[in-house]
Amino acid sequence: MRDLAAGFGYLVKGQRWVARHGRWWGFGMIPALITLVGYAAALVALFFWTDDLIGWATPFADGWPSPWLGVFRGTLAVLFVGVCLFLAILTFTAVTLLVGQPFYESLSEQVDITEGGTAPESGLPLWRELWIGLREAIALVIRAAVWGALFFALGFVPVVGQTVIPVLAFCVTGFFLTEELTSIALLRRGVLLKERRRLLKGRRMFTLGFGVPLALAFLLPLVSVFLMPGAVAGATLFVRDLMGEETREDDEEDEAGAGDDDRTQPGYPAAPYSGAQP
C-alpha cells in the first residue's frame, strides 16, 4: 500500500512541477491538444456509425422478435463503445508522445536537470529515438488491441463482466500508461521496452499507483490535455526513484549529515541502472 501511495504521489509531484514552471506546462500541452483533436474527430465519427456497424456485424439477428433484438444489439453497442474508449485511452498517450517527442524529451530533461543537476543522455541521434518510439508505439497498439478484444469477450460474462472486468481493465490501462510515460526518461538511460516492463513489474503497486488514477482522469478528454505535461514530469520523477537516483534534496541532506557514511546504511538508493543499450 505504501508503494501504491508513493506512485500516486509522483503523479501529484509532476503536476506541481509544471505548475511551478508554467512555460513548460504550456509547451507540453501543444502535442496533447493536436492529438486530442484527431482522436475526438475519429471517435465522434465512430460513435455516430455504431448502430450501423453493429447491425452490419449481426445480420443473423435481423428476424429476432422485440425486445430481444434491441437488448442484444444495445448490449453489443455499449460494449463496443467501451472497448473503443479503452483503446483510445491506451493509445492516446502513445500517439501524443510520438507526436510530441521533441517537446516531451525537452520537458523530461528539464525535470532531470532541476531535480538532479544533470540529464542522462542516450547518445542516440534523434531519428533513432523516433524510430524506437514508433516501433514501441506499434507494439503497444497491438498489445492494447489484444487486451481490448479479451475484455470485450469477458464483458459478456454475467455479473463478472460488469464488475470485475472493468476494474481489471483500468489496472491494465494504468500499467500501460505508466509504461508509455516512463519510456522517455528510461530511453535516455538506455532502458528499452523489454527491460522497462521488467522494472515496472518489479514495482507493480508503485506502477499502478501512478497509472490508474491517470487512466481515470483521462476519461475526460480535456483533462488529458491539461494533465499530460505534468504526467510526463511526474513520470520522470517516478523514474528517478525507480532507478535509485539522488535529487538535490538528497545531496543537501548528505552534506548536512557529513561525517556519517550514509552510503553504507541499509536503504540507501542504489547506483543508477545502466540499462540495455540499443
Side-chain angles (χ1 to χ4, degrees):
M1 293 302 295
R2 180 163 39 183
D3 259 5
L4 195 67
F8 178 71
Y10 279 111
L11 181 60
V12 175
K13 288 177 182 179
Q15 301 305 322
R16 288 177 179 171
W17 191 93
V18 294
R20 294 196 305 267
H21 302 80
R23 182 173 67 88
W24 288 99
W25 181 62
F27 188 66
M29 281 200 299
I30 295 174
L33 188 59
I34 293 172
T35 306
L36 177 64
V37 171
Y39 266 69
L43 287 174
V44 167
L46 185 63
F47 294 158
F48 182 78
W49 295 103
T50 293
D51 289 342
D52 292 335
L53 285 172
I54 297 297
W56 171 81
T58 58
F60 57 86
D62 287 341
W64 287 15
S66 179
W68 305 115
L69 176 61
V71 171
F72 175 69
R73 287 183 171 170
T75 301
L76 286 182
V78 171
L79 290 173
F80 178 72
V81 169
V83 169
C84 288
L85 287 174
F86 172 76
L87 292 176
I89 293 172
L90 283 181
T91 59
F92 176 83
T93 302
V95 174
T96 301
L97 293 178
L98 189 61
V99 171
Q101 176 73 19
F103 292 83
Y104 295 128
E105 185 77 26
S106 299
L107 192 158
S108 179
E109 287 179 356
Q110 188 61 36
V111 173
D112 269 324
I113 292 172
T114 301
E115 298 300 315
T118 59
E121 296 182 2
S122 66
L124 299 174
L126 178 60
W127 71 267
R128 176 66 173 165
E129 289 190 357
L130 289 173
W131 166 246
I132 293 174
L134 177 61
R135 186 179 64 195
E136 292 183 351
I138 293 173
L140 175 73
V141 170
I142 294 173
R143 289 167 60 207
V146 172
W147 278 101
L150 176 62
F151 287 135
F152 181 82
L154 292 176
F156 289 99
V157 179
V159 183
V160 174
Q162 293 75 47
T163 54
V164 177
I165 299 305
V167 174
L168 290 177
F170 273 111
C171 289
V172 171
T173 303
F175 187 91
F176 280 176
L177 284 178
T178 306
E179 181 183 302
E180 296 163 33
L181 288 164
T182 55
S183 65
I184 297 175
L186 286 174
L187 180 57
R188 286 193 289 107
R189 289 160 170 81
V191 183
L192 299 183
L193 182 60
K194 184 177 180 179
E195 183 64 16
R196 188 158 69 244
R197 290 177 190 164
R198 188 189 67 79
L199 285 171
L200 294 177
K201 287 179 180 178
R203 297 285 299 277
R204 198 179 301 273
M205 297 305 290
F206 191 45
T207 300
L208 294 179
F210 184 88
V212 172
L214 195 61
L216 291 170
F218 275 16
L219 287 174
L220 302 175
L222 286 178
V223 172
S224 62
V225 174
F226 288 104
L227 292 185
M228 193 65 183
V232 174
T236 304
L237 297 173
F238 180 101
V239 166
R240 294 186 64 82
D241 185 317
L242 190 67
M243 308 299 285
E245 297 175 3
E246 295 179 353
T247 65
R248 286 181 171 177
E249 290 180 359
D250 295 331
D251 293 339
E252 289 172 1
E253 290 175 1
D254 289 343
E255 291 174 3
D260 296 329
D261 189 7
D262 292 337
R263 294 176 183 270
T264 64
Q265 301 302 318
Y268 189 86
Y273 175 78
S274 59
Q277 297 298 323

